């Protein structure tokens, strides 16, 4: 399999038994049998077709920001699109490849005096991940500015889809259900004034840095906002801030975050998530739904 992947991409783009903790924001995760980083859309298509022909497991990693990989790692082929990072602008239209950080896209928009992506200036994920979960913050979301996308389907076909074909809802799309791999996104923005756009981004950046525990590895906000509540407030009112299992801890800075405080295992991190969910359910009768995705195998 290694040689077949190298033939599609190149030797530098194929890693064997690679520790996935080196590729996730939480610094958690076991090994991938094969980690491949394609550089073109055609390579992505050919890797998907290869996995189908060989009947080998296939997993898209993204940039690992809103993800927990279990300690046993992932079997088969794991694809990371970190080398697809082009961002291009034509008037008020911006086209960004899926491996580009959505933060960098928002900064590029600022530089072009384009408004609409200010909300994304503190979201750590990739463009592909942002579409995958209709990422949002501070009242804005991908749905507000997305015009279209190019994806690869489960058979390796290239599809051009309009935004309304993705069923975008709060922290949700049909991308995972359809098995789509996002290759690029086209955003429709508006002309604005540089100083006004920058002031909004500076304000949101200050709010993020002052409230979020950026000093420790984490997956970002762990839970979706339950209707009528705030997840962090429920966790705080359940007296769970500072609660720790092994090296995983409910953040003292923001209760909605769980941080890898000290060489945590994925099991410890996941066990703490379950403990928070159980405690909040018992105290307030509210089900906290995970925003973070959990993949891979147990040890």
């Amino acid at each position: 399999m290694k040689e077949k992947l190298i033939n599609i991409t190149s030797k530098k783009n194929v890693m064997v038994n690679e520790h996935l903790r080196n590729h996730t924001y939480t610094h958690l995760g076991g090994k991938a049998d094969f980690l491949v980083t394609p550089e073109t859309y055609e390579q992505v298509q050919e890797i998907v077709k290869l996995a189908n022909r060989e009947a080998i497991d296939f997993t898209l990693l993204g940039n690992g920001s809103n993800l927990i990989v279990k300690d046993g790692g992932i079997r088969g082929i794991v694809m990371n699109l970190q080398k697809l990072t082009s961002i291009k602008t034509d008037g008020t239209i911006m086209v960004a490849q899926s491996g580009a950080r959505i933060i960098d896209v928002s900064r590029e928009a600022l530089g072009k005096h384009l408004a609409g992506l200010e909300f994304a200036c503190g979201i750590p994920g990739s463009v592909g991940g942002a579409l995958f979960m209709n990422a949002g913050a501070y009242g804005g979301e991908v749905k507000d500015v997305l015009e279209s996308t190019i994806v690869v389907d489960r058979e390796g076909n290239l599809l051009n889809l309009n935004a309304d074909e993705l069923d975008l809802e709060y922290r949700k799309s049909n991308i995972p259900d359809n098995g789509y791999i996002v290759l690029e996104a086209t955003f429709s923005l508006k002309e604005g004034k540089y100083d006004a756009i920058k002031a909004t981004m500076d304000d949101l950046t200050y709010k993020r840095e002052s409230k979020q525990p950026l000093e420790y590895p984490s997956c970002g906000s762990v839970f979706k906002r339950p209707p009528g509540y705030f997840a962090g407030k429920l966790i705080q009112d359940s007296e769970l801030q500072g609660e720790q299992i092994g090296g995983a801890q409910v953040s003292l800075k923001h209760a909605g975050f769980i941080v890898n405080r000290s060489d945590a295992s994925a099991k410890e991190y996941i066990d703490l998530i379950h403990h928070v969910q159980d405690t909040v359910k018992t105290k307030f009768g509210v089900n906290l739904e995970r925003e973070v995705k959990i993949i891979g195998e147990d040890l």
Side-chain angles (χ1 to χ4, degrees):
M1 183 54 61
K2 177 183 176 182
E3 292 305 317
K4 292 178 180 178
L5 289 169
I6 289 174
N7 287 338
I8 292 173
T9 58
S10 68
K11 191 172 183 179
K12 67 178 181 179
N13 291 329
V14 180
M15 289 166 273
V16 179
N17 291 325
E18 174 70 8
H19 282 284
L20 292 174
R21 64 170 177 260
N22 298 328
H23 301 273
T24 61
Y25 275 55
T26 53
H27 295 181
L28 304 172
K31 295 179 180 180
D33 291 346
F34 303 98
L35 179 65
V36 59
T37 54
E39 298 185 49
T40 68
Y41 296 175
E42 292 77 13
Q43 289 176 4
V44 174
Q45 291 178 268
E46 289 306 311
I47 292 165
V48 171
K49 292 174 183 177
L50 173 66
N52 288 337
R53 283 198 307 272
E54 301 288 332
I56 186 170
D57 290 339
F58 173 87
T59 304
L60 181 66
L61 186 65
N63 79 336
S65 62
N66 194 53
L67 187 72
I68 298 169
V69 178
K70 292 183 178 181
D71 298 309
I74 303 176
R75 306 288 67 79
I77 299 170
V78 177
M79 183 189 290
N80 187 317
L81 301 180
Q82 63 188 19
K83 295 183 178 178
L84 297 177
T85 58
S86 168
I87 304 170
K88 296 179 180 178
T89 307
D90 182 6
T92 58
I93 300 299
M94 181 167 285
V95 179
Q97 290 186 320
S98 60
R101 298 192 312 161
I102 194 70
I103 288 176
D104 292 336
V105 181
S106 73
R107 289 171 180 165
E108 182 76 10
L110 168 65
K112 301 290 186 180
H113 301 196
L114 295 175
L117 277 168
E118 293 90 332
F119 73 90
C121 69
I123 296 174
S126 65
V127 168
L131 267 65
F132 186 95
M133 63 174 291
N134 185 27
Y138 299 111
E141 57 184 354
V142 165
K143 180 181 180 181
D144 300 334
V145 291
L146 183 68
E147 184 173 285
S148 63
T149 182
I150 296 177
V151 304
V152 171
D153 67 13
R154 288 190 174 101
E155 285 72 49
N157 301 309
L158 209 61
L159 304 177
N160 286 273
L161 303 175
N162 293 323
D164 58 12
E165 295 179 81
L166 299 179
D167 298 333
L168 298 171
E169 301 175 21
Y170 175 71
R171 303 300 177 267
K172 187 179 179 181
S173 76
N174 64 22
I175 291 171
D177 290 341
N178 290 321
Y180 293 149
I181 298 170
V182 176
L183 297 183
E184 70 175 48
T186 298
F187 299 104
S188 180
L189 306 176
K190 296 179 180 178
E191 293 181 358
K193 295 185 181 297
Y194 179 90
D195 289 345
I197 297 168
K198 187 175 187 301
T200 299
M201 291 174 66
D202 287 347
D203 180 54
L204 296 182
T205 298
Y206 171 76
K207 288 178 179 178
R208 175 174 178 260
E209 291 179 349
S210 63
K211 294 178 181 178
Q212 297 182 11
L214 304 179
E215 65 272 25
Y216 294 111
S218 81
C219 62
S221 183
V222 178
F223 305 104
K224 296 180 181 180
R225 186 177 69 236
Y229 298 91
F230 290 98
K233 182 73 163 56
L234 289 169
I235 296 166
Q236 189 174 356
D237 291 347
S238 298
E239 300 180 346
L240 287 168
Q241 270 190 291
E243 192 85 0
Q244 195 158 338
I245 295 179
Q249 183 189 55
V250 177
S251 170
L252 290 164
K253 194 171 184 180
H254 189 309
F257 286 66
I258 292 177
V259 297
N260 182 353
R261 183 72 187 258
S262 176
D263 197 25
S265 67
K267 184 179 186 305
E268 291 167 348
Y269 204 99
I270 294 166
D271 284 350
L272 186 54
I273 289 175
H274 292 157
H275 175 59
V276 169
Q277 288 174 314
D278 291 344
T279 303
V280 169
K281 175 67 173 176
T282 298
K283 290 203 76 167
F284 297 103
V286 177
N287 290 311
L288 288 182
E289 185 181 350
R290 274 191 292 106
E291 186 170 301
V292 64
K293 184 181 178 187
I294 300 173
I295 62 174
E297 300 180 353
D298 294 315
L299 274 178

